[in-house]
Amino acid sequence: MIEFATPLAFLLAPLPLVIRYVLPAHQETVSALRFPFFRRLAHAADVAPRAGAVVFRRTMLQNGAAILIWGLLVSALAGPERVGEPIVQEKAARDVMLAIDISGSMDQRDFRSAQGEPTQRLDAVKRVVGDFVSVRDGDRIALIVFGTKAFVQAPFTEDLGSVRALLEQTEVGMTGPHTALGDAIGLAIKTFQSSTIEDRLLIVLSDGADTGSRMTPINAAAIAAGESIEIIAIGVGDPDGSGEQRLDERSLNDIASTAGGAYYFAGDETALSDIYTRIDAQKPRVVETTRYRPRESLAHIPSGLAAGIAFLTLAILYASTLRRKTV
């Protein structure tokens, strides 16, 4: 499909005619003597006669070439372009951070799988979260794992396969046996600050109480709220446990409410899967769609044709002049 970038340039097409009639060629009338026997007079005076004023008239070749050249130049000024098929580009409009607790308590095998069999807490979490990541095409997802320390396992990326692969590689105790929930939220805030996307969601999953963070989880949640980061907290541990093995549901609930989110408890893999399905429905994928059509300039074609016609016309006229002189 051919389009013109500046079609108003075609208004210049009648410009030569306008100039011809508005500013005609200069003509001057002078007095002259007419001799009926000019040749005899010149012969008697022994003077060779020379041509007087000559008004050159354009040939059909010159007129046709001038019209074609001007039309091609105007077409080039109009900016002809070849327009391709529409191309759609989608860019993530939401950043989703997953903070997964991999402290020593996640090794407990008190979680029930979908088949009702006892399974390790972390194994169930990896299955459910992996499925959640797989269906979030269009979001940028990052992964933080935490125990005694918090680490960015995967920075924000749209390569969801890599995030899932890195999640599968996590093991219980990789980051220490304790639970530094506040530090994990703090690291998530720092990671979010490098992003320009305004829609930010942090999903924190933990099975124990915070035992060694430099920043309390509530203070970290308040800072997150100030950074427009929504926090959804998920508990998967034992609320009736003791010490670090006890799930601190009150803190998780306070974290979520402080950062404008919600708290959910999952007692088995089926309940955990339902929670992530609910989150997926409540926070659908958000993308920014950009549509454009590639354009290729074709102005060089009429310009080249105009130059070619001009050179060809000059060559023909020059050859014609040489032929007349030899005759």
Side-chain angles (χ1 to χ4, degrees):
M1 181 177 179
I2 305 298
E3 293 183 0
F4 292 93
T6 54
L8 290 178
F10 284 111
L11 295 177
L12 296 174
L15 184 61
L17 293 177
V18 173
I19 294 176
R20 179 177 179 181
Y21 287 102
V22 174
L23 300 172
H26 176 71
Q27 295 180 350
E28 184 177 348
T29 303
V30 297
S31 301
L33 294 175
R34 183 174 183 179
F35 292 89
F37 306 105
F38 177 76
R39 292 185 181 276
R40 292 181 182 180
L41 183 62
H43 179 72
D46 195 21
V47 177
R50 292 179 298 177
V54 178
V55 178
F56 292 99
R57 297 187 179 277
R58 297 187 186 92
T59 64
M60 292 184 61
L61 173 64
Q62 291 174 306
N63 287 329
I67 293 172
L68 280 176
I69 291 172
W70 179 248
L72 290 170
L73 290 177
V74 171
S75 298
L77 288 174
E81 297 175 329
R82 180 184 288 114
V83 183
E85 294 297 322
I87 295 177
V88 179
Q89 289 185 333
E90 292 185 345
K91 184 176 68 174
R94 172 187 288 141
D95 279 347
V96 179
M97 174 76 73
L98 304 174
I100 306 295
D101 185 350
I102 58 171
S103 61
S105 56
M106 290 293 286
D107 194 33
Q108 297 291 327
R109 303 186 66 86
D110 57 355
F111 228 55
R112 292 286 176 179
S113 67
Q115 292 74 32
E117 300 175 354
T119 186
Q120 185 195 58
R121 292 176 184 175
L122 184 59
D123 285 340
V125 168
K126 289 195 290 188
R127 284 193 294 270
V128 173
V129 175
D131 292 340
F132 173 79
V133 170
S134 298
V135 299
R136 299 298 295 188
D137 187 25
D139 284 340
R140 292 203 321 162
I141 292 183
L143 174 64
I144 285 179
V145 293
F146 65 95
T148 305
K149 299 288 185 180
F151 298 94
V152 177
Q153 185 79 343
F156 282 115
T157 178
E158 294 183 52
D159 185 358
L160 304 186
S162 295
V163 176
R164 186 165 185 175
L166 290 169
L167 174 64
E168 288 294 331
Q169 295 173 13
T170 58
E171 299 292 340
V172 173
M174 285 176 58
T175 57
H178 305 298
T179 303
L181 179 57
D183 289 349
I185 298 175
L187 180 59
I189 294 171
K190 184 177 180 180
T191 307
F192 273 118
Q193 288 175 343
S194 64
S195 171
T196 58
I197 296 179
E198 296 182 358
D199 196 344
R200 303 170 176 182
L201 175 64
L202 171 60
I203 304 176
V204 178
L205 184 145
S206 179
D207 72 340
D210 185 274
T211 55
S213 292
R214 290 170 294 179
M215 178 186 298
T216 65
I218 300 301
N219 288 342
I223 296 173
E227 296 286 338
S228 300
I229 301 171
E230 181 182 353
I231 298 179
I232 294 177
I234 301 174
V236 295
D238 182 6
D240 298 325
S242 59
E244 292 185 7
Q245 303 296 325
R246 182 182 65 85
L247 174 63
D248 190 354
E249 288 193 285
R250 180 176 179 180
S251 291
L252 290 174
N253 195 20
D254 290 343
I255 290 169
S257 60
T258 300
Y263 167 70
Y264 303 99
F265 171 74
D268 54 33
E269 186 174 339
T270 300
L272 183 62
S273 179
D274 290 341
I275 290 170
Y276 275 96
T277 300
R278 191 184 314 172
I279 294 173
D280 184 54
Q282 293 174 347
K283 303 293 181 181
R285 292 163 291 164
V286 179
V287 296
E288 292 180 356
T289 302
T290 303
R291 298 176 183 270
Y292 75 96
R293 304 182 73 172
R295 295 176 177 269
E296 179 187 358
S297 176
L298 302 177
H300 61 281
I301 296 178
S303 299
L305 287 174
I309 292 173
F311 283 120
L312 181 60
T313 303
L314 289 174
I316 293 174
L317 293 175
Y318 182 70
S320 177
T321 302
L322 290 179
R323 189 167 51 252
R324 283 199 302 268
K325 287 184 178 180
T326 56
V327 173

